[in-house]
Amino acid sequence: MRRVLVVGCGMAGARFVRRLTALNPDVRITVFDGERHPAYNRPLLTGVLAGHYRSGDIALPLPPGIELRAGVRAGAVHRATRTVIDSAGVEHGYDALVLATGSRPEQPWRHPSRPERSSAGEHRLHTLTDCLRLSEECVGARSPVVVGGGLLGVETALVLAGRGLPVTLVHQGRHLMHRRLDAKAGALLRTVLEDAGVAVRAGTSARSLTGRTGVTGVRLADSSVLAADLVVSACGTRPRVGLARRAGLAVHAGVVVDDTLRSVTDPHIHAIGDCAEHRGVVHDTAVPAWQQAEVLAARLSGHDRHARFTGARTLTRLIADRLDLAVFGEATTGVGTGTGVRGGIEGAAQTDVLCLSDDRHRVYKKIVTRNDHVVGGILLGDLSTVDTVRRAYEATEPLPPNRLHLVTELGGEG
Ligand SMILES: Cc1cc2nc3c(=O)[nH]c(=O)nc-3n(C[C@H](O)[C@H](O)[C@H](O)COP(=O)(O)OP(=O)(O)OC[C@H]3O[C@@H](n4cnc5c(N)ncnc54)[C@H](O)[C@@H]3O)c2cc1C
């Protein structure tokens, strides 16, 4: 019987074992996960923090018959003997090893001791444990601060404001979500947050925390101190690749894999999800992680030995109580201004930008096309055309001459 070891039971690992078991019940599967309660829908953690779900609601189903080693980390991989040594020192043999180790949050400030340990008032939101601790300790916070105005920071600030807390969001970029949104959308997003009660400090970075036994403030780049009794850092993530690197696998940002999701170094080792780098891209979102899990399960089960992952074109959505936002691809190309529908030629290439902007109602829509194909866009404040846009983004055929249906349901497809 073939033996498959899976390291990580998050979004990618859980989907993989479920699919593999369904396609081939004869495979023997052991899954390690460092978390005591693994296999949950990580993007729904903000929903738990908001009180929309209880922790049990976001559990991901796992098939019977697998050996789940929760709270046990894979510590080392010995490729020559095809074995993994777990954190208890136990050796496990494998025919195929799947790395689904995800990512780790970036630390915005240097810690004298262990980076995993936080002091009182210091938080992050990456695991269910983080979420429950934050949910408990934010009650009664007088000056909570979220550091990082990317997708997770914006969502977290909105959730804390929704819980009635006077939250401040510190962001080093000139406008919110500056890597994904253009300045116009960033400015509109800021007004949405401010309307919700979030104070936004953009264009300044957090350098360190103040306070000896607990957090009392955040020291900013200009050396001023912003008072804070609770700080949530949301400064991005990076692939968790230590295990792969120590095993001598090729690692750039992530574990380098080919279209079969096999390590380019070792045909017995595979990587999926946030820890994998495919064609130079680390997809740090859920849908590509699931797609990779499905492809790998099809291959390793023998169900479809030709299955391949050739890349993903996915929309990232943020749906908070007061905010609808979808962003994808090359969304920062060109800047839309004014109210109304407009298209414009961008540069010498056939790049067009279609914009619809309604500041009063906090709506901004932008679609970037190149050679008549959608290559990126932003839908802020109104997601009524999101399915149409998604289909156009995934399509291989060129767009029709009339593209207004991408930004308004009133526009007819030409
Ligand atoms: C709060 C939050 C909100 C998010 N919101 C969205 C969203 O709205 N949309 C979206 O697309 N994406 C979102 N993401 C990102 C999304 O969750 C990730 O892209 C997705 O979880 C990746 O799946 P994964 O299986 O690769 O990694 P993970 O889900 O992180 O799972 C990795 C698992 O591996 C385990 N592990 C790591 N190393 C070891 C080891 N050595 N031994 C044993 N176990 C190990 C970890 O404990 C973890 O359980 C969000 C992430 C967070 C934290």
Side-chain angles (χ1 to χ4, degrees):
M1 186 192 283
R2 231 167 115 68
R3 172 140 204 202
V4 176
L5 291 192
V6 184
V7 183
C9 196
M11 302 289 282
R15 173 66 68 104
F16 169 75
V17 297
R18 208 162 68 243
R19 196 76 191 122
L20 181 60
T21 312
L23 293 172
N24 187 347
D26 293 333
V27 180
R28 203 169 136 213
I29 304 171
T30 301
V31 191
F32 303 95
D33 198 290
E35 293 188 40
R36 263 185 310 128
H37 305 289
Y40 53 85
N41 192 325
R42 204 170 296 276
L44 295 184
L45 286 178
T46 46
V48 174
L49 184 63
H52 299 326
Y53 307 105
R54 284 166 304 173
S55 51
D57 298 338
I58 66 167
L60 295 171
L62 289 175
I66 65 163
E67 184 186 348
L68 172 63
R69 298 189 159 241
V72 179
R73 300 184 58 75
V77 177
H78 295 310
R79 287 165 47 206
T81 52
R82 270 194 243 155
T83 50
V84 166
I85 313 296
D86 71 23
S87 46
V90 180
E91 195 174 76
H92 307 262
Y94 65 84
D95 298 306
L97 173 64
V98 178
L99 301 177
T101 51
S103 58
R104 65 169 74 247
E106 292 277 16
Q107 270 295 129
W109 31 76
R110 209 179 286 167
H111 269 267
S113 55
R114 289 166 41 199
E116 302 278 339
R117 186 183 290 165
S118 304
S119 60
E122 184 186 354
H123 291 265
R124 60 184 196 181
L125 182 55
H126 193 74
T127 65
L128 186 55
T129 306
D130 296 336
C131 179
L132 297 177
R133 178 174 164 254
L134 173 58
S135 185
E136 201 176 299
E137 293 186 10
C138 75
V139 177
R142 289 184 309 278
S143 47
V145 172
V146 175
V147 176
L151 196 81
L152 181 57
V154 165
E155 206 172 328
T156 305
L158 279 171
V159 169
L160 294 181
R163 289 183 57 158
L165 299 172
V167 60
T168 301
L169 176 61
V170 175
H171 179 57
Q172 66 175 6
R174 286 161 72 98
H175 63 263
L176 292 172
M177 290 181 65
H178 66 283
R179 292 204 179 89
R180 315 203 59 170
L181 298 182
D182 62 25
K184 166 80 183 171
L188 210 56
L189 179 60
R190 181 180 181 139
T191 62
V192 172
L193 266 86
E194 286 171 345
D195 287 352
V198 177
V200 177
R201 295 277 299 262
T204 184
S205 56
R207 288 288 161 82
S208 58
L209 297 179
T210 60
R212 276 179 185 279
T213 50
V215 172
T216 57
V218 178
R219 192 176 302 284
L220 302 175
D222 64 2
S223 296
S224 65
V225 175
L226 179 66
D229 57 353
L230 179 134
V231 176
V232 188
S233 64
C235 298
T237 57
R238 66 172 57 196
R240 203 184 274 264
V241 291
L243 188 65
R245 195 167 264 144
R246 291 195 299 278
L249 301 178
V251 174
H252 294 157
V255 183
V256 182
V257 295
D258 59 20
D259 285 4
T260 69
L261 300 165
R262 205 161 50 184
S263 154
V264 295
T265 316
D266 186 328
H268 301 287
I269 303 183
H270 312 260
I272 53 176
D274 281 8
C275 71
E277 178 176 328
H278 171 260
R279 297 188 187 183
V281 178
V282 173
H283 294 278
D284 54 358
T285 48
V287 173
W290 283 336
Q291 291 172 346
Q292 292 176 352
E294 303 260 338
V295 166
L296 188 59
R299 291 189 69 85
L300 294 190
S301 65
H303 178 75
D304 180 0
R305 294 196 188 282
H306 302 294
R308 283 186 138 60
F309 178 79
T310 55
R313 291 165 78 80
T314 51
L315 273 72
T316 303
R317 281 178 72 163
L318 188 160
I319 305 177
D321 284 348
R322 298 176 181 84
L323 176 64
D324 289 338
L325 173 66
V327 57
F328 59 100
E330 299 174 33
T332 55
T333 305
V335 179
T337 52
T339 300
V341 183
R342 56 171 56 198
I345 303 295
E346 278 286 303
Q350 293 84 1
T351 301
D352 296 300
V353 181
L354 175 67
C355 276
L356 175 80
S357 167
D358 177 352
D359 289 2
R360 190 154 83 86
H361 296 100
R362 313 273 194 257
V363 172
Y364 176 65
K365 297 186 174 193
K366 170 180 174 182
I367 305 294
V368 182
T369 61
R370 181 162 311 116
N371 299 330
D372 296 327
H373 288 88
V374 175
V375 294
I378 299 165
L379 302 175
L380 174 59
D382 176 13
L383 296 184
S384 59
T385 58
V386 69
D387 291 331
T388 310
V389 169
R390 187 199 311 277
R391 280 195 297 276
Y393 186 43
E394 289 168 355
T396 48
E397 64 271 17
L399 286 165
N402 181 355
R403 288 113 196 245
L404 297 186
H405 63 288
L406 297 175
V407 292
T408 167
E409 290 178 299
L410 302 175
E413 210 162 325

